[in-house]
Amino acid sequence: MIRLALFVSALCLSVPEAYSQFTVSQNEKGQLLTTVDVYGPGKINATSYNKITYLGSPFLNYPVWQPGTIQIDRSGKEIPCQLAYNLVTNEVLFRFDETSAVKIITPDLFKINDTEYIRQNDKSLGVDHHLYVTTIHNGPTQLLTCVTKRLANLNSSEAVNNTYNRDLNVEGIYRTKTTYYIRKGDARPELISLTKKSLLEIFREQAQQLANRIPDKALTTLDIIHVINAYDSLMVIARSGTYPLNHNPLFIQSLQDKIIYPNWAGSQGVYGRVYAGFDIDSLGKVKNVALLSPNNAGFGLAQGVLKALDKLPVLDPAYKGTYVLPVAFTYTNSLEKAGTHVPINQLPDERMGNRIVLAEFVVPYVVSKQTITAKEVWGYYR
């Protein structure tokens, strides 16, 4: 039996200004139960009390406390300790032994039962919080997983099966959710589902070559690992034939995140091609971003590309050089028989100078509209 004292908010309960302690135990049938003693403001000069039970546990393990190690930062030493990992609040509880004080910590890395949990900063939803992931497959492309729990109501089947616990006032159950991520090189981990469609979207650079290798069924993690190995092999071949920046995961992911088709231009059937030049210096910083093609003033295509390149992260200094990036904004109206409108204008070689020409980056726009006539914009050289 494990007893901990925490604020109720840590259990996602909606009791204002309440304080609680909860006990995680296992009954004679091997079922985990979390019992919460909730104390809060009651009548004048009094304190209210309520006892609630949930099926399962908010923690990773049972018993809750497990031997482990922590590293406050990746380069730091491993510190032996006891850990309790709360999967509801994503908090790591730390103590040296049964007699020492309990602290909530945020290490870069910790281990429980030889399983390593690595902190990831996740700002994809505009919220700065920390997720801990474990590595299922390690290599140039990694497969990561994250396990969380949340409180939920009992479904009808669970309610029937739980009739023998009626006297415990069971009000919910801790449900476990497992999510998977693909991380290419130094790029940000990307969420996937265990489906063929999801993998082809993530591995878009090699989607055509991989399509026949991925089964049309619910995939297992072993299936995903086989696909990752095939993708990494294909990327080795691809990098050997072109300049490596074309296939740098962080560079490609940044372009996908930052170059957006202007909605106003797309809604008017406007498409076009933009050529932008930039340098990467000896520190990996992107500098001297410039428009090389005519300015499509008023449509936002060129401005969007320049703005995106200005915000590129620091890259590997090994990519030092002078580049030109062609960006094709393509337009498709599903009501037309003409198919996708691809820009035909191209920048003359003499205007590129001695720059390294990267593979064209394509930004598609798809609509279903009547009476919209597509038109390519190019402009005039200054």
Side-chain angles (χ1 to χ4, degrees):
M1 180 177 293
I2 309 296
R3 182 176 294 275
L4 291 170
L6 292 175
F7 284 107
V8 169
S9 58
L11 286 174
C12 301
L13 302 176
S14 57
V15 182
E17 299 180 4
Y19 183 78
S20 74
Q21 60 183 14
F22 61 95
T23 303
V24 180
S25 60
Q26 193 171 42
N27 63 19
E28 66 280 1
K29 294 190 176 183
Q31 190 176 38
L32 290 182
L33 299 171
T34 299
T35 303
V36 185
D37 298 309
V38 182
Y39 303 88
K43 297 180 180 179
I44 298 175
N45 297 324
T47 301
S48 67
Y49 168 75
N50 191 21
K51 188 170 187 175
I52 305 171
T53 300
Y54 299 98
L55 297 181
S57 163
F59 290 93
L60 173 68
N61 305 98
Y62 184 83
V64 170
W65 289 103
Q66 295 287 324
T69 61
I70 63 168
Q71 286 179 248
I72 301 303
D73 57 67
R74 305 286 172 92
S75 60
K77 293 183 179 180
E78 286 191 350
I79 303 173
C81 58
Q82 294 181 355
L83 297 172
Y85 183 22
N86 190 324
L87 296 177
V88 174
T89 62
N90 200 38
E91 291 176 333
V92 181
L93 280 66
F94 163 94
R95 71 184 186 187
F96 284 109
D97 54 43
E98 293 85 348
T99 62
S100 63
V102 175
K103 295 182 179 180
I104 296 175
I105 60 173
T106 310
D108 268 4
L109 184 152
F110 67 92
K111 291 181 182 178
I112 296 178
N113 296 328
D114 294 326
T115 299
E116 188 174 77
Y117 297 83
I118 304 170
R119 188 176 70 177
Q120 305 287 321
N121 290 330
D122 183 3
K123 297 184 180 180
S124 59
L125 298 178
V127 179
D128 186 7
H129 66 286
H130 302 294
L131 290 175
Y132 286 97
V133 300
T134 57
T135 303
I136 298 178
H137 173 76
N138 207 355
T141 302
Q142 296 177 312
L143 176 61
L144 311 173
T145 186
C146 177
V147 179
T148 58
K149 289 186 180 182
R150 65 179 180 86
L151 272 177
N153 294 325
L154 297 176
N155 60 37
S156 56
S157 175
E158 290 164 339
V160 170
N161 293 334
N162 193 55
T163 52
Y164 67 90
N165 279 330
R166 282 180 180 175
D167 59 318
L168 295 179
N169 186 26
V170 174
E171 292 200 1
I173 184 172
Y174 287 102
R175 298 198 189 281
T176 301
K177 179 181 179 181
T178 303
T179 50
Y180 297 91
Y181 299 84
I182 292 290
R183 185 177 188 183
K184 303 175 186 175
D186 295 329
R188 182 189 69 252
E190 297 182 75
L191 179 67
I192 64 165
S193 60
L194 302 186
T195 64
K196 180 176 182 177
K197 179 181 178 182
S198 179
L199 289 187
L200 292 179
E201 289 175 354
I202 291 293
F203 298 132
R204 57 186 70 84
E205 310 98 312
Q206 301 293 342
Q208 186 174 356
Q209 290 81 356
L210 291 173
N212 292 331
R213 304 189 187 192
I214 306 175
D216 296 311
K217 64 179 181 67
L219 303 177
T220 65
T221 54
L222 185 59
D223 293 328
I224 304 293
I225 291 171
H226 288 326
V227 176
I228 289 174
N229 287 332
Y231 170 79
D232 283 340
S233 297
L234 289 168
M235 291 304 293
V236 169
I237 298 172
R239 291 187 184 102
S240 66
T242 60
Y243 199 76
L245 185 58
N246 283 330
H247 300 288
N248 177 267
L250 181 58
F251 177 70
I252 297 300
Q253 186 181 67
S254 298
L255 296 182
Q256 292 166 348
D257 288 345
K258 300 180 188 303
I259 300 182
I260 308 298
Y261 209 121
N263 190 58
W264 182 85
S267 65
Q268 298 300 311
V270 170
Y271 64 100
R273 181 176 278 114
V274 173
Y275 290 81
F278 64 95
D279 299 337
I280 297 178
D281 67 14
S282 58
L283 298 177
K285 295 181 179 180
V286 175
K287 294 185 174 181
N288 303 323
V289 175
L291 180 65
L292 303 180
S293 54
N295 188 357
N296 303 312
F299 295 103
L301 305 183
Q303 291 79 2
V305 173
L306 297 179
K307 185 177 180 181
L309 291 176
D310 274 329
K311 292 184 177 181
L312 284 177
V314 175
L315 300 168
D316 191 323
Y319 296 122
K320 179 183 177 181
T322 302
Y323 298 89
V324 56
L325 175 69
V327 180
F329 292 87
T330 65
Y331 175 83
T332 303
N333 189 337
S334 60
L335 299 182
E336 292 181 346
K337 296 181 180 180
T340 299
H341 295 273
V342 179
I344 60 173
N345 285 296
Q346 295 185 345
L347 193 69
D349 290 344
E350 61 268 20
R351 288 188 172 269
M352 298 189 198
N354 295 321
R355 297 174 182 270
I356 299 168
V357 182
L358 298 173
E360 184 165 80
F361 184 76
V362 179
V363 185
Y365 192 92
V366 180
V367 296
S368 297
K369 285 188 176 182
Q370 298 283 359
T371 67
I372 294 293
T373 302
K375 47 189 174 293
E376 181 177 356
V377 293
W378 182 245
Y380 300 93
Y381 295 107
R382 292 182 178 179

